[in-house]
Structures are given as C-alpha cells and as structure tokens.
Amino acid sequence: MGSLLPVLASIALLDSLSMVPLCALPLSTMLGGPRPWAGASGFIGGIVSVYFAAGVGLLAGARVLLDRLNPVLERLWTDPYTLEIWIQVVLGAAMIGFGWKLGEARKGPRDEEPAAECSPATAFALGAGITVVGVPGAFPYFGAVDQILQADVQGVGAAGALLFYCVIFVLPLLMLCAVRVITPAQSEAIFGRVASLADRWGRKLGVGVLILVGLVLFADGVGWLLGHPLFPPPV
C-alpha cells in the first residue's frame, strides 16, 4: 500500500486538471455567498460521493469493463458508424438551438433581485452532476483503478485507496476553501466579487460554452459525413 499511494496521488492530481476549471467558479461563488461552508461542503461532497461510487463500481467489474470499453472508444474515435455520426450531428444542432434559445430568453427585462442562495442539497446535486458528466472521460481514474487491482488491494484497503484518490482529486478545491479560512477578510471580498460576477455573467458564459460545444460536435459530425472530420484520427 505504501508504494501505491504516491502513484495514486500523482494520477489524481493529473485527473483533477480536467475538473478544476469546471468547478473553481461555482465553488468560488458559493464561498462568496451568505452560507459559504454549507454550499462548499455540499458541492465537494457531491463530487467525492459520485467519484467514490464510480470507483467502487469500476473495481467490482473493472477488467471486464475496461476490456469491453477500450475497443468501443477506439472505434468511436477512428471509425464511427454512420448512425453514431448522425446522432452527434443532431446532438450538436440541439445544443446550438437550446443555447441560442436560452440566450434569447435572457434579453428580456430582468428584475434586480439578489442571487438565490445555493442550499447544501443544490450544491451537492451540482457537484454530483458535473462529476457524472465527467466520469466517462476520466481515463486517469481508470488507470488508478487498474493500479489498485495490480497491487491486489481488496476490501477495506481498496476502499481506503479509492477514498485517498478522491481526496487528492479535490485537493485544489480544498485549497480554495483553505484560502477562505486563512485570509477570511481579504478572501471574503474576492469571493464575494466572484459571486457577483458569476451572477451577472454566469448564464452568458454557460450559453456560450453550450453553443461552442454544439458547434464543435456539429462541425465534426458533418466533417465525418463529408470525409474530412474536424478531429481526424491519428494515422
């Protein structure tokens, strides 16, 4: 176990690079809200709960899952079926349309009301939802589970290794919370400003990301149909 933990820590920190940009803004917004610790603990708890549960599931059937998943992912990247391409095109178009509609809806008059408080349950659901969306692409996590299997750690030891991984995974977010504790006066002003900006620009940013992802999916799908994908597979 002693030699396994440093390996898991390095993989977890690498894995967290994909989540920190998505989670830093909502967490900073919660830390600048009226109940910072309730929202932050719920948000991080949602991330850890889903990631830990996913790890338990992977450990239960990891080898079978990885053996079946790897060829499918490789085929989707290099030689997708025509139906799968059309699904991608339709999904991209739907995301563009939904994002456009959402953006148009925000152009109407808006009452100047304070932002609604994010309850612990809402924060937990948000953290869990972001993690659920990201789990299928968490390839470093698959590698970490494989390392646990190779180390032949089972039972409580395996659960402890997974929990250790999840804690290191959210370590950058915990460091944001630590900043709030160490410098409460200064950080309160900073996080409060972030919360204000997020309330003003968060929806526009979300709409922009939604439309951008939709455009990429749509363009790549059409490119596959025309024989020139936006992201050609490696030769």
Side-chain angles (χ1 to χ4, degrees):
M1 178 71 80
S3 61
L4 175 64
L5 295 183
V7 174
L8 293 181
S10 61
I11 297 175
L13 289 174
L14 175 65
D15 194 10
S16 69
L17 294 177
S18 63
M19 283 288 289
V20 170
L22 296 175
C23 298
L25 180 59
L27 179 60
S28 298
T29 302
M30 293 170 196
L31 289 173
R35 296 175 61 194
W37 301 119
S41 60
F43 184 69
I44 295 176
I47 296 172
V48 171
S49 297
V50 170
Y51 230 47
F52 181 79
V56 171
L58 285 171
L59 280 177
R63 294 204 182 278
V64 174
L65 177 62
L66 291 174
D67 288 344
R68 293 182 178 180
L69 187 61
N70 286 336
V72 174
L73 293 175
E74 184 177 355
R75 183 192 56 76
L76 283 172
W77 179 252
T78 59
D79 189 25
Y81 297 145
T82 302
L83 177 60
E84 293 166 344
I85 296 174
W86 277 109
I87 291 175
Q88 176 180 326
V89 171
V90 171
L91 178 62
M95 292 177 69
I96 295 171
F98 180 72
W100 186 269
K101 183 177 180 181
L102 195 62
E104 289 294 314
R106 296 293 290 182
K107 291 184 178 179
R110 178 184 176 185
D111 296 331
E112 293 296 329
E113 297 179 353
E117 179 184 342
C118 185
S119 68
T122 302
F124 183 94
L126 178 59
I130 292 175
T131 310
V132 167
V133 172
V135 163
F139 297 109
Y141 199 20
F142 299 157
V145 170
D146 187 58
Q147 289 293 320
I148 295 174
L149 289 172
Q150 290 183 27
D152 198 23
V153 180
Q154 300 176 0
V156 176
L162 280 177
L163 185 59
F164 172 80
Y165 183 96
C166 292
V167 171
I168 300 299
F169 177 71
V170 297
L171 185 60
L173 302 180
L174 294 175
M175 291 175 66
L176 271 179
C177 297
V179 170
R180 184 72 165 79
V181 174
I182 296 171
T183 58
Q186 297 88 338
S187 61
E188 184 176 357
I190 294 172
F191 287 131
R193 181 61 176 167
V194 171
S196 176
L197 290 173
D199 181 51
R200 183 178 303 175
W201 299 103
R203 179 66 67 90
K204 294 181 179 179
L205 180 61
V207 168
V209 171
L210 187 65
I211 293 177
L212 178 61
V213 173
L215 284 171
V216 170
L217 289 174
F218 183 83
D220 186 57
V222 172
W224 272 107
L225 294 174
L226 298 176
H228 300 284
L230 191 62
F231 303 106
V235 178

